[in-house]
Amino acid sequence: MNNAYFVAGTDTDVGKTVCSCAILYAAQQTNITMVGYKPIASGSENTPQGLRNSDALLLQQASSVSVTYDDVNPYTFYRPVSPHIAAKEEHKTIEFDLLSQGLTKLKTQADCVLIEGAGGWRVPINNTEYLSSWVKQEQLAVILVVGIKLGCLNHALLTAEAILADGLTVVGWIANQIHPVTDNYTAMITWLEQHLPGKKIAEIPYIPMNKPDKEITTHQQLAQYIDLSLLSER
């Protein structure tokens, strides 16, 4: 197993956080110390402790080791918009050096760091750079989350091709059922198994997330669907 993985999505709202938390809890069950890292998060709430993003908080809770919120999420933005828009509105500059420093620190505290991306693979952080540029700089292995819905085959293949074109490796992918009923589900999974690089490390069934107080328990239950051993079979 690598000491860091980047979780990319085929789009926004495909379940990157759900899958990342499931991986983190699966690691706990196999005695692997793993910590979540959400370098950039948009869509946060003001709290007495400052801006807090719900996805980053879930990653912090699911981590095997105790880390501060700022360690998990160095860039927190208020509005749920693309990072380059949010950063401009808040007069901030997203610096790759700060992202790398945070990753290096977390690597000293756990066997593995699980880094959750923002949006899709080519999400911009300014007018000329993308978050994927930093992933390429760090040469991170990628786990791809595919939200299973109409159009996902195209999105998944284009995303995988972009990752490979950046010189990176898709070490595994997760099929996440984001709707209660999905027409041709089995046929789509079969196609993805035949065409995507990397191994399918999980199929996550549809589970409604309408009760925030139940999210942690749900993510713990979803860990049963994750096969971390496949990440070692390179």
Side-chain angles (χ1 to χ4, degrees):
M1 176 171 284
N2 294 4
N3 64 358
Y5 294 94
F6 184 86
V7 178
T10 51
D11 199 352
T12 192
D13 293 331
V14 294
K16 292 188 300 295
T17 302
V18 169
C19 295
S20 294
C21 287
I23 292 172
L24 288 165
Y25 285 118
Q28 288 189 29
Q29 295 172 9
T30 53
N31 296 318
I32 298 170
T33 58
M34 186 180 289
V35 61
Y37 187 35
K38 180 78 173 176
I40 303 170
S42 298
S44 307
E45 295 183 0
N46 284 305
T47 74
Q49 294 75 37
L51 275 179
R52 292 293 184 265
N53 174 267
S54 59
D55 291 346
L57 287 169
L58 288 169
L59 294 179
Q60 181 185 21
Q61 180 68 36
S63 296
S64 305
V65 296
S66 179
V67 288
T68 69
Y69 180 84
D70 288 339
D71 285 339
V72 173
N73 180 212
Y75 285 105
T76 312
F77 298 108
Y78 179 70
R79 284 219 303 142
V81 295
S82 179
H84 77 294
I85 296 174
K88 185 175 182 180
E89 289 179 345
E90 298 185 24
H91 307 290
K92 295 179 180 178
T93 300
I94 298 172
E95 301 283 354
F96 284 174
D97 285 348
L98 184 61
L99 302 187
S100 297
Q101 289 168 15
L103 176 59
T104 299
K105 180 179 180 181
L106 291 176
K107 282 180 176 179
T108 67
Q109 300 180 54
D111 298 327
C112 180
V113 182
L114 190 72
I115 307 143
E116 183 188 326
W121 182 247
R122 285 285 187 254
V123 63
I125 61 165
N126 55 46
N127 283 335
T128 61
E129 295 177 302
Y130 308 92
L131 183 55
S132 60
S133 307
W134 176 73
V135 182
K136 183 177 180 180
Q137 174 184 298
E138 294 293 329
Q139 287 294 293
L140 297 170
V142 179
I143 297 171
L144 180 61
V145 174
V146 182
I148 304 301
K149 60 180 181 178
L150 182 64
C152 73
L153 305 185
N154 174 60
H155 293 161
L157 191 58
L158 286 175
T159 302
E161 288 174 348
I163 294 168
L164 297 178
D166 281 341
L168 300 174
T169 303
V170 178
V171 295
W173 58 277
I174 296 174
N176 185 39
Q177 191 168 357
I178 58 179
H179 298 305
V181 178
T182 305
D183 291 338
N184 303 306
Y185 176 85
T186 301
M188 287 193 285
I189 296 298
T190 299
W191 191 93
L192 290 168
E193 289 173 335
Q194 293 172 346
H195 292 85
L196 282 186
K199 297 178 181 294
K200 183 185 69 177
I201 66 171
E203 281 186 52
I204 303 293
Y206 173 78
I207 296 181
M209 294 288 185
N210 53 2
K211 296 181 179 180
D213 59 323
K214 301 295 184 182
E215 280 188 300
I216 292 175
T217 300
T218 300
H219 294 154
Q220 291 171 332
Q221 294 170 342
L222 292 179
Q224 67 182 297
Y225 298 101
I226 304 290
D227 189 350
L228 291 180
S229 68
L230 293 175
L231 294 179
S232 301
E233 298 177 7
R234 300 285 295 279

